[in-house]
Structures are given as structure tokens and as C-alpha cells.
Amino acid sequence: MTWTAVLLVTAVVWAVSVIRSVRVRAFVYSLPLPMTLALVTTGHPVEGAQVLGVVGLNLFFVTVAVTHRRLRWPILLADLAGIAVYVALSAGVLAVPVPFEAALAGAVALWALAMVLLRRRAAGAPPPEPAEARRDGLAAPVKLVVIFVGALVTGLLGELLRGMVVTFPYSGVLVAVEARRQLAEFSRHFARNSLALVGFLAGHHYLQDTSPGLALAAGWAAFALVAAALHLPRPGALLRIASPMSRPTSGRVGLDRISLRKPQQGG
């Protein structure tokens, strides 16, 4: 991992640490900045293994959330468990060739299944903690040093993964520490955004034999397109926003309240 990559990971984690909205945090983390840097500096091509690496990113956060929130492991041990799951998946994926189209279809199918399951669980989920209860006690300079050292350590580990280094959770290890009080909520938002990362890898894959710059541009364009589709307001949400406008205000009669009964004669 180059010094530029270390600084980029540090910047991403720092940005995530100062954002209070979990939804925005997950989106910032899902930006394929570390992936772009890994592709530029390592020269690894995007194949089916890297698409399955996005599945590994989700498994990393799920593992950290389960071990830290349910099993009450310290967050650093939970991080190590998440890394172990990612490394184990990487070893299995690298052991056999994975056709890109098969990996792409499998990743999209798993994403769709995850969205269905998460939507069913969302109704019974407890409300998130207020923002005031989630503030970190670390001073800003101390936090920056911890993030920088963590980026160095995870970068050294990531170098051992060959092609899977592209999707290794460099900043994810540190983001999990920052978002430890909202891991379940963060994981749900990241799972949704991860489809855009699959789009980034697909766009890069299909043009990587023409030009590295063109492949990266296609990857980012695919990411932006999928991310925009994921975050566009749904028709149901627009109807809910518009419905209060049809309610009658004080002193006025709404059109939906006008009686159509025939007036009585001779009364």
C-alpha cells in the first residue's frame, strides 16, 4: 500500500468520523476511492473474484456487528473476526477461477435477497439512538493518529491478498470502530449501497482491455448511475409527501370533502 493510499484511507475514515448521519456515513464509505487506488497502484484486473469481494465486504460488517453487538466482543476483536471472514472468503475465491458473469449474477441475486430480508426486519427494528448519545470522546488529533496507524496496519495485511486486495476493507476496519454504536444500521445502509460498487467493478471490467483511464471512468459512471437509482425518491414516498397537501386547511373545504348529496326541497 502506497503512502498515497494510506493518506486516502485516512481521509475517508476521517470524513466518516465527523458525519453524524448514518445514511451519509455509509454512502461516503461506499465511494470506490480505495478500490480505484488499488486498481491504479497494483495493476490487478477486475475479474469475478473482485465482484465476490463486495460480498466479502458485507460479510465483514455483518461479522463485526454480530460479534460486537450480540456476542459483546471488544470492537478490535470483532474487527479481527471480520478480517478473518474476509480472508477466508478470499482464499476460497482465489482457489478456483470464477467467471465474471456468474459472479456478477450471483452478487446481484444475493443483494436482492438481502434487501428483501432487511426490509422485513426493518419494521420491527428499534429506533436508532439519538445523535447526542453517539458522540466519540476521542480528541480530534488523537483520533487522526489512530486512523493513520490503523490505515498502515490494514494496508500491510491487504498486500497479502493478491487480486482480492482491490476490495479489502482498508478503511472498513477503522470505520467499524467509528460506527461501533450504529453497526447494525450502518451495515444495512452499506449493504444497499454495495450494489453501486458492483456496478463500478462491472463498468471497469468491460473496458479494462481498452484503456485504464477509460475503464476507471466507466466504473465511476456505472457507480454514479446505480447510486442515483438507489437513492431516487420512490413513488410511494412522493405520494406520502404530497398527501398532506390535499388535506383541508382551517376555514377551507377540501375537494375530497364536498358532499354530492342532492339538496332537500322545501326545507
Side-chain angles (χ1 to χ4, degrees), residues 86-109:
Y86 181 86
V87 171
L89 175 68
S90 300
V93 168
L94 292 173
V96 293
V98 182
F100 184 83
E101 283 72 20
L104 183 61
V108 172

Side-chain angles (χ1 to χ4, degrees), residues 199-210:
F200 169 83
L201 293 173
H204 187 282
H205 170 80
Y206 286 112
L207 290 179
Q208 64 186 353
D209 293 333
T210 59

